[in-house]
Amino acid sequence: CTGQNKNNALLQYLCWRVLVRLHKKVTMSFLLVGHTKFSPDWCFGLLKQRFRRTFVSSLQDLVDVVNTIKILSSDWTPLSHDLPPTITLTGLSSNRQWYLFQQIREFCREGSQDLTCPRPTLQPPTCEESMDLPLPQTAEDATPQQ
């Protein structure tokens, strides 16, 4: 088993460190049997399995997937009622809005297209605005400098 080979290699390495007097002793700790899995990992695994089998094209679709997984009991309460600070969003640029509308909208479910990729209220960007680098203004600017 590869897991046992890794353990043997680790034990041999730790023994070597003691033999060459890098350490006086080494202590290894292992989790108790049955306590080796972190519970959020299996919960996330359930979510990942359900997500892979479901068509998700909006935030509401994702919420629906999460709500189909019954993990918590009805008497669950959060450890803290303190909310994190509010983040003010600036919104998407005109370029990004038009990209989503023109390129991504067709892949969204019929009912979620207007939510995920609505028609932008801003004018479509011009060719110059849609490029990351500024375009040369004159023929002299277009020739590379040497």
Side-chain angles (χ1 to χ4, degrees):
C1 174
T2 58
Q4 290 174 339
N5 290 339
K6 289 179 186 175
N7 288 339
N8 287 335
L10 178 63
L11 288 173
Q12 292 171 9
Y13 171 70
L14 295 174
C15 287
W16 172 81
R17 292 188 65 91
V18 172
L19 289 172
V20 296
R21 301 183 191 275
L22 294 173
H23 300 283
K24 290 183 181 180
K25 70 177 187 171
V26 174
T27 304
M28 288 183 62
S29 300
F30 295 94
L31 294 173
L32 298 172
V33 174
H35 296 274
T36 58
K37 302 293 182 194
F38 188 51
S39 60
D41 289 343
W42 69 264
C43 294
F44 187 74
L46 293 174
L47 173 63
K48 191 164 61 170
Q49 287 176 357
R50 185 67 53 94
F51 180 79
R52 287 178 177 164
R53 293 188 311 243
T54 308
F55 182 76
V56 176
S57 67
S58 69
L59 187 57
Q60 185 58 48
D61 290 344
L62 180 59
V63 168
D64 293 342
V65 169
V66 171
N67 286 336
T68 62
I69 301 172
K70 302 295 182 201
I71 298 171
L72 302 175
S73 65
S74 60
D75 62 344
W76 178 83
T77 56
L79 296 176
S80 173
H81 294 286
D82 297 335
L83 296 175
T86 302
I87 299 172
T88 305
L89 302 176
T90 58
L92 299 174
S93 68
S94 172
N95 290 352
R96 192 65 174 168
Q97 289 179 33
W98 280 100
Y99 168 76
L100 290 172
F101 181 73
Q102 294 172 336
Q103 304 294 322
I104 304 300
R105 182 180 174 91
E106 66 181 291
F107 300 107
C108 295
R109 186 178 301 152
E110 191 68 34
S112 66
Q113 289 177 330
D114 289 335
L115 178 66
T116 307
C117 305
R119 181 175 187 79
T121 55
L122 303 170
Q123 292 295 320
T126 63
C127 184
E128 291 84 14
E129 291 173 339
S130 64
M131 296 184 70
D132 291 335
L133 299 173
L135 293 175
Q137 300 299 318
T138 65
E140 294 169 348
D141 292 338
T143 57
Q145 299 292 324
Q146 296 187 13

